Amino acid sequence: MARFELKLPKMGESVAEATITNWLKEVGDKIEADEAVLEIATDKVDSEVPSEVSGILVEQLFGKDDLVQVGQTIAIIETEGGELVPVVKQAAAQEPVAEVAKTVDAAKESVAPETSGPVNFSDSEKFLSPLVKNIAKEEGVSVAELEAISGTGKEGRVTKNDILEHVKNRSNQPVVVPVKTVETPKPVQAPVAQKAAPVSVSGGDEVIEMDRMRKLIAGYMVASVQTSAHVQSFIEVDVTNIVKWREKNKVAFEKREGEKLTYTPIFMEAVAKAIKDYPGMNISVDGDFIIKKKNINLGMAASLPNGNLIVPVIKNADQLNLVGMAKAVNDLGGRAKAGKLKPDDTQGGTYTVTNVGTFGSVFGTPILNQPQVGILALGAIRKMPAVIETPEGDFIGIRQKMFLSHSYDHRVVDGALGGSFVKRVAEYLEAFDVNRDL
């Protein structure tokens, strides 16, 4: 039998940790390769961690709601066959208890405990096995001493032999323990009482606690409004040419590319072009500093299976042609609906687009996705009577129209820039070539 360490996988350059939200497998359960073992959550995305091997789950190193760093071992899986990854702590833990007790008693005869009272091992940055912790408690080994021990186990972990050797030698060699500065104790504040769940007075109301994602969204929205001075500009756009072009090409596009052709990639293309014309919209704010972004990464608001909202990001959107944009939109939108987004899919956005027209809204006033300084809401496309100017004179015709609602951060974006930007988006949309090739 061999033992395999299941580690928290890397989830993107900007993601360093995740919270365990649910164990899908319990100790003793059989696991197949690529089968999900547990569910985790970052501040944006919930996802699953699959096993790389087949075997039996023999240990869970973290519990539900624990925060885990990328690269940390979260579970031990026992497999058949040759050794995969040596798990030092498990080998130590499986030694007969009586033998360990004898060794500890022998060490006790040569050295007395240095400290007394409970030891808080959570203060240590090292991974400590249960066996090492028990020996440390018995021998009064402080956390500071454990930090000073050079472990011989995998990745520098302290093994049973390491701590016993330390206990045996510390009577002869004084251990240098870092001394922490004693600070004046701060007055202890009374714990803040949590607000009790509301009770239905009539007895007919249903009280539902927000899920984790909704709590996060609520926090982000309130923080955004408190951070930025939101201002909106609105403009009406004639998208008749776009509607005609899509109707003419959507069937051929799907047959050729295997992708549905929606309006979203066309709008995204226009936004990316407008940002290149007005790079002042592609910035973020950090205190008193303005950061000009090199890449144009467009966030695309999408719905999750539970009804919550998430914003996956199309990286380097200005470098994609319409086909590439359609594939990116469909991929991110599809994985969002299926709950399959990865944490890195939501990172690095520099400007966001949200389609309120999907729900029939004519226009809206979206809240900024911090630290971005702009967000564009796409209203519903409607048939409207409009004045059409021709060389022969003006006449009334039926046109396909929509509203663009542009929210921007008035701390750094004035009306001239915010209004000019959304006007440029409208110009690109109205100038769309109805004869454009796919």
Side-chain angles (χ1 to χ4, degrees), residues 61-89:
L61 301 182
F62 293 91
K64 183 180 178 181
D65 298 328
D66 284 349
L67 189 65
V68 186
Q69 302 296 315
V70 169
Q72 277 190 294
T73 301
I74 50 182
I76 304 298
I77 299 173
E78 192 173 72
T79 66
E80 295 183 359
E83 181 178 357
L84 293 174
V85 178
V87 185
V88 175
K89 68 179 190 63

Side-chain angles (χ1 to χ4, degrees), residues 38 62 102 114 135 143 205 239 255 277 301 360 389 393 406 434:
L38 68 158
F62 293 91
K102 289 180 182 178
E114 195 171 273
I135 296 175
V143 173
D205 299 330
V239 292
K255 285 183 178 180
D277 295 338
E389 297 179 356
H406 186 212
V434 73

Side-chain angles (χ1 to χ4, degrees), residues 135-155:
I135 296 175
K137 288 178 182 178
E138 290 285 339
E139 300 302 320
V141 179
S142 67
V143 173
E145 288 181 79
L146 287 172
E147 291 286 343
I149 297 175
S150 297
T152 60
K154 181 177 175 62
E155 299 180 349

Side-chain angles (χ1 to χ4, degrees), residues 250-411:
K250 64 181 182 180
V251 174
F253 185 90
E254 186 171 0
K255 285 183 178 180
R256 192 186 77 181
E257 302 295 339
E259 302 278 350
K260 289 188 178 296
L261 180 61
T262 65
Y263 292 113
T264 302
I266 301 173
F267 297 143
M268 288 292 194
E269 181 186 55
V271 171
K273 288 180 179 179
I275 288 178
K276 294 190 75 172
D277 295 338
Y278 292 96
M281 291 305 309
N282 203 49
I283 66 173
S284 65
V285 179
D286 187 356
D288 294 331
F289 296 92
I290 295 173
I291 302 172
K292 294 182 176 180
K293 299 294 185 177
K294 177 182 178 182
N295 299 327
I296 297 176
N297 300 333
L298 296 184
M300 180 187 71
S303 296
L304 291 170
N306 58 9
N308 288 327
L309 191 69
I310 198 166
V311 185
V313 178
I314 302 173
K315 308 293 175 59
N316 298 308
D318 58 312
Q319 299 178 18
L320 298 175
N321 59 20
L322 191 56
V323 173
M325 189 74 77
K327 288 181 179 293
V329 166
N330 292 340
D331 172 58
L332 292 174
R335 287 195 285 123
K337 290 179 181 178
K340 299 296 184 181
L341 285 175
K342 299 177 181 178
D344 201 40
D345 291 329
T346 62
Q347 305 295 322
T350 60
Y351 188 90
T352 297
V353 178
T354 180
N355 191 350
V356 299
T358 301
F359 314 105
S361 297
V362 178
F363 54 79
T365 56
I367 297 174
L368 293 170
N369 186 12
Q370 297 290 341
Q372 300 169 24
V373 300
I375 180 171
L376 185 69
L378 308 172
I381 299 175
R382 303 178 300 157
K383 290 183 179 180
M384 299 288 293
V387 176
I388 302 174
E389 297 179 356
T390 70
E392 290 76 25
D394 299 343
F395 65 93
I396 301 295
I398 303 299
R399 306 293 291 178
Q400 300 276 3
K401 290 199 169 189
M402 66 182 295
F403 281 99
L404 303 180
S405 309
H406 186 212
S407 293
Y408 46 95
D409 189 342
H410 209 2
R411 294 179 302 167

